[in-house]
Amino acid sequence: MEIDLSNCTLCPHKCSVNRAEGKLGFCKLDSGLHIANISLHKGEEPIEGSENGVCNVFFSHCNLRCVYCQNYQISQPDTIVRNEITDYENAVNQIVAILRGDVNFLGFVSPNSHIPQMLKIIELVNEKGFFPKIIYNTNAYENVETLKMLEDIVDVYLPDFKYADNELGLKLSGIPHYCETALSAIQEMYRQKKNVLSENNPVLIIRHLVLPNHVENSIKALDLIAENISVDVFVSLMAQYFPVYKALKNDSINRILTKQEYYFVLDKLDELGFENGWTQLLDSNYYYQPDFNKENPFEN
């Protein structure tokens, strides 16, 4: 599949810059390979068949500007870790070394501005004789047209649904129209996977991170998922928020969740009839604090 980066419209920003000539749009990416980390990760959601973990490819840069991003070391233009993997052979060799350890899943984190690079990596891994299931781990600020290109490639979609409140999305992630954009993207993912989605086959998992002082955003987000997608999808309702990066100076989100806040949203999850998915313990914020200066950022 050939994707032209000379007029990049991969994501909803539709910057239309010529990345092939090194022009930079919102994501600050050219047409090269930019990987911050490749590591084995046993994530928050135990995807069916992934007991041995997932080989995660963490791309650098992002098309959001979340002031509280837990991956801020690799996602934000002013904090990018500079020891990037920029060579396909090196990247594929690292991936294959992990897959050889009886790992059957290959995850791509923040892939929406890196889709040509992702597709090339998958092709090269297949040429090595490995055919892992592909996980697409995204903030859901996606173009539906781009997602349609991935229908026969992605096995598991793992989107965030961050905001039901566009003003909050603009304030905390610098993005207009997040809610309807992400909702349309997740509806497309559901269209692709609804016929194979089942209790034993969680091929669409919608993540939502509850933010302190903003439980009304979480309540509305669950309402929108129930009304516009389905209560049969898998929902991962996360309590792992911890303030980092610019959130430390933001009075509305510079603390962890309270028990009352998280349990209030849990009650809504039950009220709406969601039965598939995962919740978290309140102390989970201590376990998911990655450090991308380490070879494995999730090692304690």
Side-chain angles (χ1 to χ4, degrees):
M1 182 189 303
E2 292 293 328
I3 296 176
D4 183 12
L5 291 181
S6 65
N7 180 37
C8 187
T9 57
L10 277 177
C11 85
H13 289 296
K14 296 188 176 180
C15 299
S16 298
V17 297
N18 190 339
R19 288 171 57 183
E21 292 186 354
K23 305 296 183 183
L24 306 181
F26 188 92
C27 67
K28 305 300 181 186
L29 286 164
D30 54 23
S31 61
L33 182 65
H34 297 275
I35 296 175
N37 181 268
I38 298 171
S39 55
L40 179 66
H41 182 44
K42 295 187 177 180
E44 295 87 335
E45 300 83 20
I47 297 169
E48 189 73 18
S50 65
E51 293 84 0
N52 293 333
V54 174
C55 175
N56 265 343
V57 176
F58 291 89
F59 285 116
S60 303
H61 302 258
C62 184
N63 65 348
L64 300 188
R65 294 288 180 267
C66 301
V67 299
Y68 56 88
C69 180
Q70 67 173 6
N71 293 350
Y72 71 95
Q73 293 169 304
I74 65 173
S75 66
Q76 304 304 307
D78 58 338
T79 59
I80 292 292
V81 173
R82 296 302 169 187
N83 56 339
E84 292 181 321
I85 300 166
T86 58
D87 174 75
Y88 282 99
E89 183 177 4
N90 182 9
V92 170
N93 285 342
Q94 289 191 44
I95 291 168
V96 167
I98 294 173
L99 295 179
R100 283 199 175 104
D102 202 22
V103 174
N104 300 313
F105 286 83
L106 176 57
F108 293 93
V109 184
S110 300
N112 41 16
S113 298
H114 302 261
I115 290 173
Q117 294 84 353
M118 180 187 81
L119 295 176
K120 185 170 181 179
I121 288 171
I122 294 171
E123 179 184 355
L124 293 172
V125 168
N126 291 165
E127 288 178 1
K128 295 276 190 179
F130 292 85
F131 299 89
K133 291 186 176 181
I134 303 302
I135 301 174
Y136 192 86
N137 186 335
T138 173
N139 56 39
Y141 197 65
E142 300 271 1
N143 275 339
V144 169
E145 297 81 5
T146 303
L147 291 172
K148 287 180 178 178
M149 296 189 298
L150 304 177
E151 183 165 1
D152 296 325
I153 295 166
V154 172
D155 296 290
V156 178
Y157 282 110
L158 193 57
D160 294 332
F161 186 45
K162 294 178 179 292
Y163 308 111
D165 179 345
N166 279 331
E167 288 188 12
L168 188 63
L170 185 60
K171 177 183 177 182
L172 297 183
S173 292
I175 299 297
H177 313 303
Y178 175 88
C179 178
E180 56 266 38
T181 302
L183 196 61
S184 293
I186 297 171
Q187 285 175 320
E188 170 59 21
M189 298 174 196
Y190 180 66
R191 181 198 68 78
Q192 293 182 21
K193 298 301 181 186
K194 63 182 178 182
N195 291 333
V196 293
L197 180 67
S198 70
E199 182 180 351
N200 296 318
N201 196 29
V203 292
L204 172 60
I205 302 169
I206 302 172
R207 284 173 157 181
H208 177 76
L209 177 65
V210 183
L211 299 172
N213 290 317
H214 295 292
V215 294
E216 71 286 348
N217 174 63
S218 297
I219 297 298
K220 188 176 178 182
L222 293 176
D223 276 331
L224 288 174
I225 294 169
E227 292 168 7
N228 296 278
I229 302 170
S230 172
V231 294
D232 295 326
V233 298
F234 286 73
V235 172
S236 178
L237 189 66
M238 298 187 291
Q240 69 187 53
Y241 177 83
F242 58 95
V244 294
Y245 190 43
K246 296 179 181 179
L248 294 168
K249 297 182 179 180
N250 187 310
D251 289 342
S252 75
I253 54 171
N254 64 355
R255 62 169 175 82
I256 61 174
L257 284 179
T258 65
K259 179 179 179 179
Q260 289 77 15
E261 285 173 323
Y262 189 57
Y263 279 43
F264 188 74
V265 183
L266 281 178
D267 287 344
K268 183 66 174 182
L269 191 74
D270 290 336
E271 176 191 324
L272 289 171
F274 288 99
E275 295 184 353
N276 297 321
W278 301 270
T279 59
Q280 289 183 325
L281 298 173
L282 274 174
D283 63 358
S284 62
N285 56 298
Y286 294 108
Y287 303 122
Y288 298 109
Q289 298 187 18
D291 182 356
F292 285 91
N293 289 306
K294 297 179 179 178
E295 183 176 347
N296 188 331
F298 293 91
E299 274 185 346
N300 293 329

